[in-house]
Amino acid sequence: MSSSQNDDISSNVLRQMKAGGFDFTRIHPIEFYAVFPDEANARRAAGQFRGESLNAQVHERDDGAWHLELSKVMYATYGGIGDFEERFEQVVSPYGGEVEGWGVKHERPIA
């Protein structure tokens, strides 16, 4: 996926989050996702983020590929997410990984 396409997707997601009442004044665990052809390389990539992530999980998908989910505690800003996603891609690519995007859990206020 091209970086301009990622930028458009991130902009749209952040706008939807704002419309949904997301609290941008707090830090949140932002989850970044990548897929790998094998477990060993997924775990090697995960190890590159020791000390700066909240959590890194590697698990096998139904199709035999390996999924890396890395949670980083940070503010949900366009620049911060974009910068980390770029670094994430630079780390996972040499291990045969492909970035699948990012997400954040949002608790909706009880009405």
Side-chain angles (χ1 to χ4, degrees):
M1 191 179 303
S2 72
S3 65
S4 64
Q5 191 174 14
N6 284 340
D7 292 346
D8 291 343
I9 292 169
S10 288
S11 293
N12 289 334
V13 170
L14 289 166
R15 275 194 292 279
Q16 290 172 8
M17 290 166 57
K18 183 177 181 179
F22 187 83
D23 185 357
F24 287 94
T25 65
R26 292 185 17 224
I27 58 171
H28 298 272
I30 310 293
E31 296 159 355
F32 296 86
Y33 309 102
V35 65
F36 294 81
D38 60 84
E39 180 182 12
N41 280 319
R43 294 198 182 280
R44 283 185 192 105
Q48 298 297 311
F49 294 97
R50 283 198 184 101
E52 69 175 279
S53 67
L54 171 70
N55 191 11
Q57 296 181 14
V58 174
H59 59 87
E60 189 172 15
R61 297 186 340 179
D62 291 339
D63 64 0
W66 288 82
H67 192 253
L68 167 60
E69 180 180 318
L70 181 84
S71 297
K72 180 166 176 55
V73 177
M74 59 191 290
Y75 288 101
T77 65
Y78 180 81
I81 290 169
D83 289 348
F84 188 79
E85 192 170 35
E86 185 177 307
R87 180 164 173 263
F88 187 56
E89 185 169 20
Q90 290 172 351
V91 170
V92 303
S93 291
Y95 293 105
E98 186 175 317
V99 173
E100 289 192 316
W102 63 273
V104 62
K105 290 180 176 73
H106 173 56
E107 291 184 26
R108 294 182 181 228
I110 298 172

